Amino acid sequence: MLKEISKLPKVTIMIPTYGQEDIILEAVDSALAQDYPNLEVVVADDASPDGTAHVVATRKDKRLRYHRNEVNLGRVGNYRNTLYNLAKGDWVVNLDGDDYYTDTGFISAVMEVVINNPEVVIVSARRVSKSAKREFVNEIPKHRLINGRKLLLNLHKTEFRFWHMVTLYRRSDALECDFYRADVISADWESLFRLALRGKIAYIDRIAGVWRCHEDNASTEPDSNALLENLKIWDAIYDEAALFGIPSYRAKWEKRKIRVIIGYYYYSLILKKTGFKEAVNYIISLYKIDWLLPLSIFLYYKTIIKAIVS
């Protein structure tokens, strides 16, 4: 059972938003519906040109704070400013303004794990990824409590990865490891996987909310240069893994495996949205990151199959 409010760690649900006046209240209301008693909800408006401020002002709740940036900081800049300068919680989670929670007991369930496992630095759950065509729920590992180094050795398996809106992390540790320092598509992964090395990771088998998958998602942007930059995050992640005791040769091997898998995903994205020629040019350009990477992706069996049927 959770303790009395004054003895509970404070949790901040950060809601970064830009130009989302039509849907922002779904995120805000779902955050305020959480039954965890020591909670704050911070809406970080990145200088929206619409009526976001007016819409959020319709909600009167002492747990809710609204902040408008004087200038647009960009997606990752807004994340970082919210974490470092606006959030007051001991633990935080990032809920983008176009997503929402469906499980009102999600935060309470996470904090139950945290209180009983002080060595845990990250707790992650499950979400529904919802697009106009389909819905699917991410898997989580069978072992619900694992060491961060083990996690870094298994990132080629999707069940070991984190998804922003359903992943709470200890704020003090996040600040120490320079969270949201990389202005790239997967700024969350670059931060969370490095943080994971600093303790244990817990998973809870709850479907906490809905991630809206749409054209505006940064992760579905087919810009080749942005995707190339994003693949560079694995250098920082696995360089740090080597510092935390993972043998250098193993870190390099795991880095190459995950880059092939993610690189293939980007190839598929470009192939679907801009065509075969652009997709092949993208693979060839990967030599800038690792000279073996283009060959590895060309030889990846899924690449060959997709090229044949496309």
Side-chain angles (χ1 to χ4, degrees), residues 122-301:
I122 295 174
V123 183
S124 196
R126 305 170 76 194
R127 69 175 189 186
V128 177
S129 297
K130 186 175 183 180
S131 69
K133 296 182 179 179
R134 64 170 183 159
E135 297 182 14
F136 67 94
V137 179
N138 63 286
E139 296 298 320
I140 58 174
K142 293 180 180 179
H143 297 289
R144 300 295 189 247
L145 186 65
I146 64 172
N147 184 282
R149 284 176 294 180
K150 181 179 179 180
L151 179 105
L152 267 289
L153 295 176
N154 284 279
L155 288 183
H156 57 282
K157 303 174 185 177
T158 57
E159 63 264 31
F160 284 88
R161 299 175 202 164
F162 300 132
W163 309 106
H164 220 176
M165 65 172 290
V166 292
T167 303
L168 274 77
Y169 53 91
R170 187 182 291 143
R171 181 169 175 266
S172 59
D173 291 298
L175 299 183
E176 287 181 7
C177 69
D178 201 9
F179 242 57
Y180 302 128
R181 66 184 185 181
D183 191 3
V184 293
I185 296 168
S186 298
D188 54 338
W189 277 3
E190 196 277 343
S191 297
L192 288 167
F193 292 141
R194 289 188 299 108
L195 175 59
L197 291 162
R198 289 158 169 79
K200 290 188 176 180
I201 314 305
Y203 292 89
I204 59 172
D205 192 10
R206 297 176 77 113
I207 301 173
V210 174
W211 178 69
R212 286 190 174 101
C213 182
H214 50 72
E215 294 280 331
D216 295 330
N217 291 137
S219 57
T220 59
E221 173 57 54
D223 180 272
S224 295
N225 290 328
L227 298 177
L228 283 172
E229 283 300 309
N230 204 55
L231 280 177
K232 294 178 182 178
I233 68 170
W234 304 106
D235 284 325
I237 291 167
Y238 281 100
D239 285 351
E240 203 149 326
L243 296 176
F244 277 82
I246 293 178
S248 180
Y249 76 90
R250 186 68 188 277
K252 290 179 180 178
W253 174 244
E254 293 300 328
K255 178 172 66 175
R256 179 156 288 155
K257 281 198 295 186
I258 190 66
R259 269 191 175 151
V260 170
I261 293 169
I262 301 298
Y264 164 76
Y265 167 73
Y266 293 161
Y267 158 79
S268 302
L269 187 65
I270 295 171
L271 181 67
K272 178 181 179 181
K273 295 194 175 184
T274 60
F276 180 74
K277 182 178 178 180
E278 289 77 7
V280 171
N281 286 337
Y282 157 75
I283 292 182
I284 294 172
S285 68
L286 293 175
Y287 81 89
K288 299 174 185 177
I289 297 174
D290 180 342
W291 68 275
L292 276 176
L293 195 54
L295 179 61
S296 299
I297 293 179
F298 268 128
L299 295 178
Y300 188 46
Y301 75 99

Side-chain angles (χ1 to χ4, degrees), residues 13-82:
I13 299 178
M14 307 188 305
I15 305 181
T17 186
Y18 176 78
Q20 296 172 325
E21 65 176 347
D22 293 337
I23 56 176
I24 187 62
L25 285 184
E26 195 162 15
V28 171
D29 290 343
S30 73
L32 292 173
Q34 291 295 310
D35 62 12
Y36 184 71
N38 196 5
L39 179 76
E40 69 168 4
V41 178
V42 178
V43 177
D45 183 353
D46 200 18
S48 293
D50 61 8
T52 295
H54 173 75
V55 170
V56 175
T58 65
R59 295 299 184 261
K60 309 298 181 183
D61 192 305
K62 64 181 181 180
R63 299 170 299 166
L64 175 64
R65 286 191 287 124
Y66 169 84
H67 172 84
R68 177 182 172 83
N69 298 333
E70 293 183 3
V71 297
N72 184 274
L73 301 177
R75 181 179 65 94
V76 180
N78 197 23
Y79 290 167
R80 185 176 174 95
N81 184 61
T82 307

Side-chain angles (χ1 to χ4, degrees), residues 13 30-31 34 93-95 99-103 106 165-166 208-209:
I13 299 178
S30 73
Q34 291 295 310
V93 63
N94 192 93
L95 175 68
D99 304 323
Y100 57 93
Y101 292 125
T102 53
D103 178 2
F106 166 56
M165 65 172 290
V166 292

